[in-house]
Amino acid sequence: MDSAGSRAPVVLIVPGSGPTDRDGNSPLGVRASTYRLLAQDLAAQGVTVARIDKRGLHGSSQAVIDANDVTMADYAQDIHSWVNVLREQTGAACVWVLGHSEGGLAALVAAQRGTGEEASICGLMLVATPGRPMGQLLRAQLQANPANAPILEQAEAAIAELEAGRRVDVRAMNPALRPLFHPRLQGFLIATLTLDPVQYMAGVDRPVLVLQGTRDLQVPMGDAEMLARSARSARSAPQAVLVRLVDTNHVLKQVSSDDVHENLATYGDAQRPLAPGVVDSVLRFLAMPAPSR
């Protein structure tokens, strides 16, 4: 935990998809250290930040036998547990939850009103969080890459089967698709692909910050706009703020062009600082009055 004192705002960072660790890195080739840099920058400005590993992974590897045998509801339960621990350790009345990418969906599930736990959450910061069900987003991501044309029909058929709650046989799949639909992942995919972030947003009565980079290759700006619009139209959140981060990508690094290679190169660069505006946007949101208890 990056601590800035007992009276500081307390933020819990929830990692994104796959084997992403508490630093924001992954053995799948991501070494940008986004969460570590964000925590350090916020702590330097008087914010206490806790970074966690998801159930079954890295420092939490002993929490469950199989890290893939989880659901979004499990991750939401873990958020509640971390929030309660942080409140005990810091004396904070509530904890701000910052979810990155898929972690934003977990944060939305955790903050549903009527659970009895949401009052311990000051508000949500949804960073590069999808505004559509994961199945729809996965289709869009695959379609966006022309190189996927030979495998697109097979991939879309597999997604449809999983959305319907049926497992798929990967043995006949193109080898490029087998890791994406690995049998060990299919239980999680079946439980997750149809979850609708907009629907969950309607059940949140905490302040919400939607933070989105304009050069995100994985989650487009339209998703952020959907999240913010749904919060405002449903009046579900007392404050719903959308911040567009110019020239900022999915790992919150600055990218100056449309060059995909330049964008992806930042995923492996822990020495590159966070893009301008990231920390300031979070600090401005944290300065807003917390909801009354």
Side-chain angles (χ1 to χ4, degrees):
M1 184 163 63
D2 300 84
S3 180
S6 60
R7 295 184 178 274
V10 181
V11 173
L12 173 69
I13 297 180
V14 182
S17 62
T20 305
D21 67 14
R22 72 185 77 177
D23 286 340
N25 297 331
S26 166
L28 301 179
V30 181
R31 296 180 297 278
S33 294
T34 299
Y35 310 154
R36 176 176 59 81
L37 293 172
L38 180 58
Q40 291 172 348
D41 288 350
L42 289 174
Q45 298 298 320
V47 179
T48 295
V49 184
R51 295 176 286 122
I52 61 172
D53 290 319
K54 293 187 294 185
R55 184 187 298 205
L57 293 171
H58 310 294
S60 298
S61 60
Q62 301 302 310
V64 63
I65 294 174
D66 183 359
N68 295 308
D69 186 20
V70 293
T71 65
M72 201 59 64
D74 293 329
Y75 288 151
Q77 180 184 2
D78 292 343
I79 289 173
H80 292 151
S81 297
W82 282 108
V83 164
N84 290 333
V85 168
L86 289 170
R87 291 178 67 207
E88 291 175 2
Q89 291 185 349
T90 65
C94 60
V95 173
W96 299 89
V97 179
L98 187 153
H100 178 248
S101 194
E102 184 184 275
L105 178 57
L108 282 167
V109 176
Q112 294 299 290
R113 62 173 172 266
T115 63
E117 297 278 358
E118 78 279 6
S120 297
I121 296 175
C122 304
L124 303 181
M125 289 172 274
L126 308 179
V127 182
T129 296
R132 292 167 284 172
M134 291 290 185
Q136 294 182 22
L137 182 66
L138 182 55
R139 284 188 183 90
Q141 289 174 339
L142 290 167
Q143 293 166 359
N145 186 350
N148 289 331
I151 61 174
L152 196 56
E153 182 177 353
Q154 195 173 56
E156 291 181 342
I159 294 170
E161 285 294 293
L162 293 165
E163 287 174 327
R166 296 185 291 266
R167 290 180 175 266
V168 296
D169 187 351
V170 302
R171 291 174 295 181
M173 283 187 182
N174 186 293
L177 289 175
R178 291 173 190 167
L180 182 61
F181 300 110
H182 194 285
R184 291 179 61 190
L185 298 175
Q186 290 185 26
F188 179 77
L189 291 173
I190 287 171
T192 305
L193 287 179
T194 58
L195 298 182
D196 188 349
V198 167
Q199 180 180 344
Y200 281 105
M201 181 70 87
V204 175
D205 63 0
R206 308 285 95 185
V208 176
L209 169 66
V210 180
L211 198 62
Q212 182 65 42
T214 63
R215 295 197 185 276
D216 191 326
L217 296 175
Q218 295 169 249
V219 179
M221 183 59 67
D223 283 55
E225 292 168 347
M226 276 191 283
L227 288 173
R229 185 165 56 247
S230 64
R232 292 164 182 163
S233 63
R235 298 185 179 178
S236 54
Q239 299 156 351
V241 179
L242 170 61
V243 176
R244 297 172 177 85
L245 296 169
V246 177
D247 290 343
T248 301
N249 68 3
H250 193 70
V251 293
L252 304 184
K253 301 297 179 82
Q254 187 172 31
V255 181
S256 59
S257 76
D258 292 329
D259 189 298
V260 173
H261 297 292
E262 177 191 347
N263 197 313
L264 294 177
T266 70
Y267 282 54
D269 189 354
Q271 301 305 312
R272 183 187 292 242
L274 297 180
V278 173
V279 174
D280 287 345
S281 297
V282 172
L283 291 173
R284 283 195 298 269
F285 183 69
L286 291 175
M288 294 181 178
S292 59
R293 293 295 178 270

